[in-house]
Amino acid sequence: MKPHHQCRAFDTPEASGQGADRPTPFALTRLGSWGTVGTRRCHSALRREHRGPIPVADASGPDLATLSFHGEETVTVTVAEPTDEVVLNAVELAITEATIANDRGEALRGVPTMDEAAERCRIAFPRHLAPGAWRLRLVFTGHLNDKLRGFYRSSYKDASGATHLLAATQFEATDARRAFPCWDEPAFKAVFAVTLAIDPALAAVSNTRVVAERREGGKKIVAFADTIKMSTYLVAFVVGELEATDPVRVGAAPVRVWCVPAKLRLAAFGHAIAVASLRFFEEYYGLPYPGDKLDLLAIPDFAAGAMENLGAITFRETALLVDERAASHAEIERVADVVAHENAHMWFGDLVTMSWWNGIWLNEAFATFMEILAVDDWKPEWKRWVTFGVSRAAALVVDGLHSTRPVEYPVRAPRDADAMFDTLTYEKGASVLRMLEQYLGADVFRDGVRDYLRRHAYGNADTRDLWAALGTASRQPIPDVMDGWIFTPGYPLVSARVEGRELVLSQQRFAYLPEAPEGTEPSGEPGQRWRVPVQLRLHAGGTSSVTRLMLSGAEARLPAPERLDAVVVNEGGHGFYRVRYAPELLERLVRQLDDLAPIERFNLVNDTWAVTVAGLGSLTDYLDLTARFRGERDRNVWSVLLASFHALNRIVGPADRPRLAALVRDRVAPAFAALGWTTRPGEDEVTRQLRGDLARALGTLGDNPAVQSEAAERYAAYVASGDDVDPNVLPALITILAHAGDATRFDEFLRRFRAATTPQEEQRYLYALAGFRQPALIGQTLARTLNGEIRTQDAPFVVRTLLTGVRSRELTWEFVKTNWDAMERQYPKHALRRLAEGVIALATPELERDVHAFVRARKIDFGGKTLAQYLEQLRIAVTLRAREGAALSKYLARFG
Ligand SMILES: [Zn+2]
């Protein structure tokens, strides 16, 4: 799975889906009747359980007016020991018939009992089933829900404004049980043969090729080929008026992109990266693609970013469909990343699957690592491993909390598994895999991965199985190196200083706060140490040399060369740790910034900022440091500089805010002046993106009137005559105009949001609505997050954006408190969790107290340590304000 997320560095909109009205009842007639007729062959021993009986659920027949579906399922099971009960997972399903038969002519009718709380169905038989093979047949009905999980409905409007429905599935982690009764755990792998009975006007897609199609009783009966042996969470079916691109073959498998009509013109780019990355993975893994075809489907309503159903990958529209000429680089890159990520899963996750949900981290971390590898191979000019620094930085933030968690931890209930789809799993996991790959060497790492996949194909495996394969390939004790990064929370701060003729490196755990905040259970042991593969570059006498060492203890010493000019710790920037240089080493480094790679400059600023927030360095020193980067030309370095200015904007007093804007102008304007407003011939995409970023920073955070009026003129020319505006600058113009805009502009952007013709255009205007500063306009946008106008896949993210705006946060927080119940009812569960992340920006002591009171009163819990992490980040911001507020005010005095 790929979560939906927003860009952290700039508070700007990023990929997400469609915005249209909710389905209307009259549209249901288009749908015809839904039916699934599934045969599932499964080989597993049945387990007996003893619990009190519960009344049988109402087993009424299909009701088209309420969007129900009807299903039949046959499961081949092996009874291991005599039993008169079969227990499987099911929820919100009514099982109307349960029979079991064998080849010896025995047949029994069972009595199903639903336990909705346990999400189980217990089928009691009148006598014991003898050991051996049986066929369990179940007939059931269910409701096509609008919660974007299980078997659900999605809707979209055509050009004439008519609403159309389609049906799709989203099963990970534990929602297959909402579509059909099953043993809904990853280790219960089975072969699935799906047949769908649908309206003849519609198309149906499932995991495998269509093997037969016929008409029966006014329905189209579509039968799909047997799948490979796989887990239930990877099963998928999608039914609707879908259109597909022509197939392109990779090996024997045709690859197609599917979407709703009228959007096929946006499919070419996603199709291209799908084909390229599938070929890349066949080569990298040394194994052919395990499916018989690959369909990538854009679903108008989709909770996550995408889902790796084998052979039928589902996406939110912004993660698959894009107009390459009109989209910004970030929007295009998002599509490439997500498509490559899901394709990587076809082997790592689908062919070889984690044994249990504690292995989600490996599944997701690995796919994230492979996504970057594949995109980097496809478009080396995008410098994807450099830009990955931003993702690594996001993980370093969360993992610097006392309320962090180890990457891998025991998962008992599905609720714990849900909390695993977070930054620590994806970004920290991928970062430490990258660190390991760099340490072992890329070829050795790949050989280990190949061995792991071959050994466990069609089966399940654990982290230790991958370590074993990598250990064999590298002849190194992998767990010795990796366990500290995976099974213990946090990461080290490596400090560097010179003592006489020695360079001294020491490590301690990095934390923003000296102690865990009240009510937070501290994680990890005191005196924690890691085995840190450190890569150093020493500059001396005009030359440089790279040294590697394993820092295992508290301290390591190495001889410093004579005439040492500078030391770069974390050379190449792959290490998952922070570096603090002694003042004189820092000064030497800053004097020769040009000798540092962009990722090294990024880490230098990022680590220094973190050390400042942690109270280990002064804010004044940090702000002085930012002045040394006025000439910076790398977009990632700017992203961390601008993120730190945004953080200061959230803690600065209102009187000082214009002075902070002046500081931003002072730092940013020279770099923007050097770039200018217009694209130059031969410019790379990263530079064009930087132009948009810097313009946005000057026009919003820097509140520069000249930039704002220039943006208005350029936008007007673009609207009037279709003037060519660089797609990387256009989103910045829209953001700036919203920031400076009034009610007329708001109405204009609202119209454009409604009339948008690409998912990306729609998102730009949607998030622009959250950028206006007048209370009345903020109120209008908030109202639309609950009245159905903004899709539930997007609304929580819009609220989150509003929570982070300094002009909108208080109003929005009141709105959230007032409407929490409605939000809980309407929004997908994990999106509500992402919405709540916005409280991090409520960085005043009063708001912090109010947040605590609210979560206590409402007993809010998102599973895992999610809430504690948000509250700790809020504590850090309020602490920074208390500690550095006066120094900040004093520093800013020179800008007023
Ligand atoms: Zn994934």
Side-chain angles (χ1 to χ4, degrees):
M1 193 144 54
K2 184 80 178 174
H4 173 56
H5 65 86
Q6 290 168 273
C7 179
R8 283 155 197 280
F10 302 110
D11 296 325
T12 52
E14 212 226 1
S16 68
Q18 275 261 79
D21 285 348
R22 308 310 312 156
T24 49
F26 71 85
L28 304 187
T29 53
R30 289 209 64 91
L31 203 62
S33 79
W34 293 96
T36 66
V37 187
T39 310
R40 177 170 177 254
R41 291 197 283 277
C42 160
H43 301 279
S44 60
L46 297 185
R47 293 181 300 178
R48 288 194 53 170
E49 300 208 12
H50 300 280
R51 283 203 189 172
I54 288 186
V56 178
D58 176 30
S60 64
D63 181 349
L64 302 184
T66 56
L67 286 169
S68 55
F69 59 89
H70 165 88
E72 290 174 34
E73 158 183 351
T74 305
V75 193
T76 306
V77 295
T78 306
V79 174
E81 55 183 274
T83 179
D84 58 359
E85 249 186 9
V86 171
V87 179
L88 32 61
N89 292 113
V91 65
E92 288 169 11
L93 291 176
I95 300 180
T96 53
E97 236 184 279
T99 53
I100 198 160
N102 62 19
D103 286 341
R104 299 183 294 280
E106 292 175 85
L108 296 171
R109 182 168 289 274
V111 178
T113 307
M114 290 293 291
D115 179 348
E116 289 285 337
E119 303 188 352
R120 283 176 183 173
C121 174
R122 179 182 313 272
I123 301 163
F125 293 99
R127 58 185 171 78
H128 277 75
L129 310 173
W134 292 81
R135 287 180 308 281
L136 175 68
R137 181 173 173 277
L138 302 170
V139 180
F140 54 93
T141 59
H143 175 63
L144 217 47
N145 72 70
D146 63 352
K147 294 287 179 282
L148 316 191
R149 62 173 178 170
F151 197 9
Y152 73 92
R153 63 182 193 265
S154 170
S155 71
Y156 64 95
K157 280 187 176 173
D158 64 21
S160 73
T163 300
H164 299 253
L165 287 186
L166 55 88
T169 55
Q170 168 58 41
F171 291 164
E172 191 175 20
T174 57
D175 290 320
R177 64 190 67 174
R178 292 174 193 277
F180 57 94
C182 55
W183 286 274
D184 200 10
E185 294 177 6
F188 285 106
K189 284 197 168 188
V191 172
F192 298 85
V194 173
T195 302
L196 297 169
I198 61 167
D199 184 324
L202 304 179
V205 177
S206 187
N207 303 89
T208 50
R209 289 184 200 226
V210 174
V211 287
E213 210 177 282
R214 64 176 202 281
R215 295 293 174 93
E216 195 180 293
K219 294 279 180 60
K220 181 161 75 176
I221 314 292
V222 187
F224 298 89
D226 285 5
T227 67
I228 62 166
K229 203 174 151 200
M230 65 181 204
S231 308
T232 47
Y233 80 91
L234 296 169
V235 175
F237 20 92
V238 180
V239 179
E241 286 170 276
L242 298 165
E243 291 181 348
T245 58
D246 289 333
V248 172
R249 278 181 189 278
V250 173
V255 178
R256 286 173 299 188
V257 172
W258 294 75
C259 56
V260 300
K263 290 202 170 147
L264 213 49
R265 67 185 178 89
L266 306 174
F269 180 82
H271 200 193
I273 175 64
V275 168
S277 61
L278 206 65
R279 287 190 177 129
F280 174 83
F281 293 131
E282 285 203 330
E283 165 65 25
Y284 185 92
Y285 293 134
L287 282 173
Y289 166 64
D292 64 358
K293 58 92 182 174
L294 179 60
D295 290 317
L296 301 96
L297 303 109
I299 310 293
D301 295 277
F302 198 80
M307 176 62 211
E308 68 268 23
N309 315 300
L310 183 83
I313 305 174
T314 42
F315 295 80
R316 66 167 58 204
E317 290 188 332
T318 44
L320 181 59
L321 305 177
V322 67
D323 178 347
E324 210 182 336
R325 284 154 309 142
S328 71
H329 180 73
E331 290 162 344
I332 292 169
E333 191 178 87
R334 171 75 177 159
V335 172
D337 283 356
V338 180
V339 170
H341 178 102
E342 302 309 325
N343 275 355
H345 273 310
M346 296 298 109
W347 290 260
F348 207 104
D350 293 8
L351 181 64
V352 179
T353 311
M354 62 265 165
S355 305
W356 180 243
W357 298 116
N358 61 333
I360 282 177
W361 86 265
L362 184 57
N363 195 26
E364 295 303 349
F366 195 85
T368 304
F369 166 80
M370 288 305 296
E371 139 202 344
I372 308 293
L373 208 59
V375 173
D376 188 51
D377 180 77
W378 190 50
K379 300 272 184 192
E381 66 274 21
W382 290 2
K383 302 187 175 69
R384 202 57 192 85
W385 279 118
V386 178
T387 56
F388 179 70
V390 176
S391 304
R392 186 188 295 109
L396 289 167
V397 168
V398 178
D399 210 25
L401 305 174
H402 292 283
S403 51
T404 185
R405 60 166 177 85
V407 170
E408 181 167 339
Y409 62 89
V411 170
R412 281 171 298 274
R415 186 182 178 75
D416 298 333
D418 285 346
M420 217 182 229
F421 292 96
D422 67 359
T423 305
L424 293 169
T425 287
Y426 286 80
E427 278 80 21
K428 180 180 178 181
S431 300
V432 297
L433 287 176
R434 174 66 167 171
M435 187 166 69
L436 180 64
E437 186 224 25
Q438 293 292 300
Y439 173 69
L440 298 179
D443 291 349
V444 171
F445 185 86
R446 185 203 57 210
D447 291 347
V449 169
R450 287 179 174 182
D451 178 47
Y452 166 85
L453 289 174
R454 264 191 295 273
R455 213 177 272 269
H456 303 285
Y458 307 102
N460 298 81
D462 294 315
T463 305
R464 63 173 179 274
D465 296 314
L466 180 63
W467 289 172
L470 290 170
T472 307
S474 65
R475 303 202 190 121
Q476 297 224 36
I478 306 297
D480 281 5
V481 183
M482 292 303 282
D483 280 359
W485 302 96
I486 302 300
F487 294 105
T488 65
Y491 57 87
L493 172 67
V494 174
S495 300
R497 64 180 196 276
V498 172
E499 265 183 32
R501 291 290 305 278
E502 280 183 325
L503 178 64
V504 186
L505 299 180
S506 59
Q507 63 161 311
Q508 67 187 87
R509 181 172 170 184
F510 176 83
Y512 288 102
L513 296 172
E515 278 171 29
E518 219 183 300
T520 296
E521 224 176 283
S523 59
E525 305 290 321
Q528 242 178 301
R529 303 262 183 273
W530 285 260
R531 288 176 62 82
V532 193
V534 177
Q535 210 155 297
L536 296 164
R537 194 171 65 246
L538 303 168
H539 293 259
T543 60
S544 67
S545 60
V546 173
T547 304
R548 291 158 195 255
L549 66 101
M550 185 63 84
L551 174 62
S552 313
E555 199 176 275
R557 289 169 179 266
L558 58 160
E562 221 174 320
R563 301 201 344 257
L564 179 70
D565 297 324
V567 184
V568 180
V569 184
N570 199 3
E571 193 268 342
H574 304 295
F576 191 77
Y577 55 90
R578 293 193 191 278
V579 181
R580 178 173 54 161
Y581 294 96
E584 49 135 12
L585 282 178
L586 179 64
E587 184 47 40
R588 287 191 214 179
L589 210 49
V590 172
R591 262 190 261 132
Q592 44 192 72
L593 282 179
D594 291 345
D595 290 340
L596 302 190
I599 187 71
E600 293 167 350
R601 296 199 299 278
F602 173 90
N603 284 344
L604 177 65
V605 178
N606 192 45
D607 292 349
T608 308
W609 169 242
V611 160
T612 305
V613 175
L616 303 170
S618 85
L619 181 61
T620 304
D621 287 349
Y622 174 76
L623 289 172
D624 281 343
L625 179 73
T626 63
R628 314 283 281 262
F629 285 83
R630 287 193 186 96
E632 179 60 53
R633 291 293 176 274
D634 183 78
R635 176 175 186 252
N636 296 290
V637 181
W638 272 114
S639 78
V640 59
L641 289 164
L642 296 176
S644 69
F645 298 149
H646 272 287
L648 293 176
N649 193 37
R650 293 192 195 106
I651 63 165
V652 78
D656 279 334
R657 191 157 286 134
R659 286 187 272 276
L660 178 64
L663 177 139
V664 171
R665 292 196 295 274
D666 174 75
R667 301 302 194 253
V668 178
F672 183 65
L675 283 179
W677 276 98
T678 37
T679 316
R680 290 178 192 155
E683 239 175 26
D684 61 25
E685 292 181 72
V686 182
T687 303
R688 288 162 49 202
Q689 256 184 302
L690 177 62
R691 174 178 294 113
D693 295 346
L694 297 182
R696 184 187 290 110
L698 283 173
T700 59
L701 201 53
D703 233 340
N704 183 331
V707 168
Q708 289 166 352
S709 61
E710 178 82 27
E713 274 171 40
R714 286 175 179 271
Y715 184 77
Y718 160 77
V719 170
S721 59
D723 245 21
D724 231 10
V725 176
D726 187 315
N728 293 290
V729 173
L730 182 59
L733 299 184
I734 294 168
T735 310
I736 294 167
L737 295 187
H739 178 83
D742 56 10
T744 312
R745 184 71 80 186
F746 185 91
D747 292 340
E748 180 195 353
F749 283 6
L750 183 62
R751 274 198 309 278
R752 290 187 169 273
F753 159 65
R754 288 173 174 156
T757 58
T758 71
Q760 286 76 20
E761 186 188 12
E762 187 188 76
Q763 294 294 302
R764 286 174 196 165
Y765 287 106
L766 171 59
Y767 283 96
L769 296 181
F772 287 83
R773 292 184 290 173
Q774 295 82 340
L777 302 178
I778 293 164
Q780 276 202 47
T781 304
L782 283 170
R784 288 188 169 82
T785 61
L786 280 173
N787 71 1
E789 179 157 5
I790 301 173
R791 284 178 188 269
T792 58
Q793 68 166 8
D794 297 323
F797 294 92
V798 172
V799 178
R800 181 179 183 273
T801 303
L802 284 160
L803 274 174
T804 61
V806 293
R807 304 287 187 130
S808 53
R809 60 186 172 186
E810 296 187 21
L811 253 175
T812 306
W813 173 237
E814 286 304 317
F815 181 85
V816 168
K817 285 192 295 181
T818 309
N819 295 288
W820 186 256
D821 291 332
M823 291 177 170
E824 268 195 317
R825 257 195 324 275
Q826 289 186 29
Y827 296 162
K829 194 174 50 171
H830 75 86
L832 192 69
R833 191 166 76 214
R834 300 296 307 278
L835 179 158
E837 193 176 5
V839 303
I840 292 169
L842 302 177
T844 71
E846 302 75 31
L847 284 169
E848 186 193 20
R849 273 195 295 278
D850 198 43
V851 168
H852 277 269
F854 181 73
V855 300
R856 246 193 331 267
R858 303 303 301 257
K859 297 188 170 55
I860 290 167
D861 180 12
F862 296 112
K865 294 187 163 186
T866 307
L867 183 63
Q869 289 168 0
Y870 296 166
L871 296 178
E872 186 173 349
Q873 282 174 273
L874 176 55
R875 184 91 282 271
I876 291 163
V878 176
T879 305
L880 179 66
R881 180 194 195 105
R883 192 183 58 236
E884 297 282 6
L888 176 60
S889 198
K890 190 166 165 231
Y891 194 93
L892 290 177
R894 68 179 85 162
F895 293 93

